[in-house]
Amino acid sequence: MEDTEELLSAVRVQEISNGQAAVVPDGYDIRNLAVLGEVPPRKAQTVAVLDIETLIDCVKREDEDACDRKSVIYVNDEKVVAVFNHYDSGSAPGWGDDTATMELHKTVEWDNWMGNSGQAMCQKEFVEFIEENFNDIKSPNPADMLTIVSKFDMHRQVVFKSAYRSSDGETKVTYDESNNTKSGEIDLPTEFTIVIPVIQGAEAFTTYAIKVRLKVRLTNEGRLFFTYTLYRPDVPERSAVKDLSERIETALPENRVIRGAIECSTHSTFAN
């Protein structure tokens, strides 16, 4: 008992620049007894959500439960983070360790089109690609687009002779059919338009029309290759983050929405 009283008497609280610190004898430390309770003293967690509407609902519920504080939402190119205890109460700072996060992943449609942009494809490969992504094409009519690029049965002996851009803006490709000495010409569009979403879980607010440029190349053997490139894909990428931020601002008019990132403080921040 005397040893315990002597130990307690050796513990003192000392003022430091960041507040107060407890000074204890060598070989001892201080523990928060609240962690030994049946329930934690407060919430401190990171919730991962898969779509923006779920994150908005989480913020509304948390703010309703808190009553005297509002969550703060940070939006950047990589993720959206809602910090429920950014403030303790009113404008007093909180620990910022109770959050909901939505990672911003690109959609399958975006990855499909970006992944093949600039890659040369033979006619068979390009036809298959158009078939797989048929519903993304807005203009020309996707059925017409597919008909044009798959004009020839892959088993027919066709030799493409020349490709040139005509005055009407289309690419004209001339060909010979070796099995019946038939010649002809087909018109290919130099660009087409796709409509695809950019961000998973926010498709309704991040879907855009994108121009796609189409080029053809003939080999010395008379084979036809297609290459498409998305025109300024950085524009819909930037627009997606901006429109996502505006969606949050509209749904949560009383909350601060900040374009940026946050590194929340922890207890160790004030330890020294």
Side-chain angles (χ1 to χ4, degrees):
M1 183 66 176
E2 291 181 359
D3 291 342
T4 302
E5 291 178 351
E6 182 178 349
L7 175 62
L8 292 175
S9 65
V11 177
R12 69 180 188 276
V13 176
Q14 180 173 316
E15 296 292 333
I16 59 175
S17 59
N18 290 333
Q20 294 181 324
V23 180
V24 299
D26 290 340
Y28 294 88
D29 57 14
I30 292 179
R31 298 291 178 87
N32 187 345
L33 297 181
V35 300
L36 302 178
E38 294 183 358
V39 295
R42 63 177 180 83
K43 286 199 302 182
Q45 60 187 3
T46 298
V47 178
V49 301
L50 301 179
D51 62 82
I52 195 60
E53 296 306 316
T54 299
L55 185 138
I56 290 171
D57 288 342
C58 285
V59 171
K60 289 180 178 179
R61 289 197 300 270
E62 290 290 336
D63 287 0
E64 183 179 351
D65 292 342
C67 298
D68 60 345
R69 73 185 186 204
K70 292 292 183 183
S71 304
V72 177
I73 300 94
Y74 291 83
V75 183
N76 58 55
D77 295 345
E78 298 179 353
K79 59 187 174 182
V80 179
V81 180
V83 185
F84 303 132
N85 61 342
H86 190 285
Y87 299 107
D88 183 36
S89 61
S91 59
W95 286 110
D97 55 3
D98 187 15
T99 65
T101 299
M102 174 185 169
E103 301 287 344
L104 300 188
H105 299 294
K106 295 299 194 298
T107 61
V108 172
E109 295 88 343
W110 179 267
D111 287 341
N112 284 346
W113 285 97
M114 281 297 294
N116 289 282
S117 181
Q119 303 296 316
M121 289 182 270
C122 68
Q123 186 184 11
K124 180 177 183 295
E125 292 170 334
F126 190 61
V127 168
E128 292 174 350
F129 180 81
I130 294 299
E131 287 176 337
E132 292 171 0
N133 299 278
F134 182 87
N135 292 328
D136 299 335
I137 299 174
K138 180 69 174 178
S139 67
N141 181 287
D144 294 340
M145 180 77 174
L146 185 59
T147 299
I148 292 171
V149 299
S150 59
K151 183 176 178 62
F152 302 103
D153 187 295
M154 301 307 166
H155 300 291
R156 289 166 64 182
Q157 297 298 311
V158 175
V159 177
F160 295 97
K161 306 296 291 183
S162 65
Y164 63 95
R165 187 163 182 172
S166 63
S167 58
D168 59 7
E170 292 190 322
T171 298
K172 293 188 179 295
V173 179
T174 60
Y175 63 90
D176 290 338
E177 289 191 55
S178 57
N179 59 345
N180 59 12
T181 67
K182 179 181 177 181
S183 298
E185 187 177 72
I186 57 174
D187 295 330
L188 296 173
T190 55
E191 70 174 32
F192 57 97
T193 302
I194 60 174
V195 176
I196 57 173
V198 178
I199 297 177
Q200 289 183 30
E203 290 87 349
F205 315 104
T206 62
T207 296
Y208 307 98
I210 304 171
K211 292 289 185 184
V212 182
R213 292 173 173 168
L214 180 63
K215 295 181 179 180
V216 296
R217 178 176 61 86
L218 295 180
T219 67
N220 293 333
E221 295 78 22
R223 297 184 63 199
L224 186 64
F225 283 81
F226 294 82
T227 303
Y228 75 83
T229 54
L230 271 63
Y231 179 69
R232 292 295 305 274
D234 59 302
V235 174
E237 282 188 299
R238 291 197 306 270
S239 296
V241 177
K242 175 179 175 291
D243 292 342
L244 185 61
S245 179
E246 290 179 354
R247 165 58 188 153
I248 298 170
E249 290 172 349
T250 300
L252 303 169
E254 297 182 4
N255 296 79
R256 290 177 61 195
V257 179
I258 300 173
R259 288 290 303 275
I262 182 174
E263 183 175 345
C264 295
S265 60
T266 63
H267 290 79
S268 61
T269 306
F270 305 94
N272 299 315

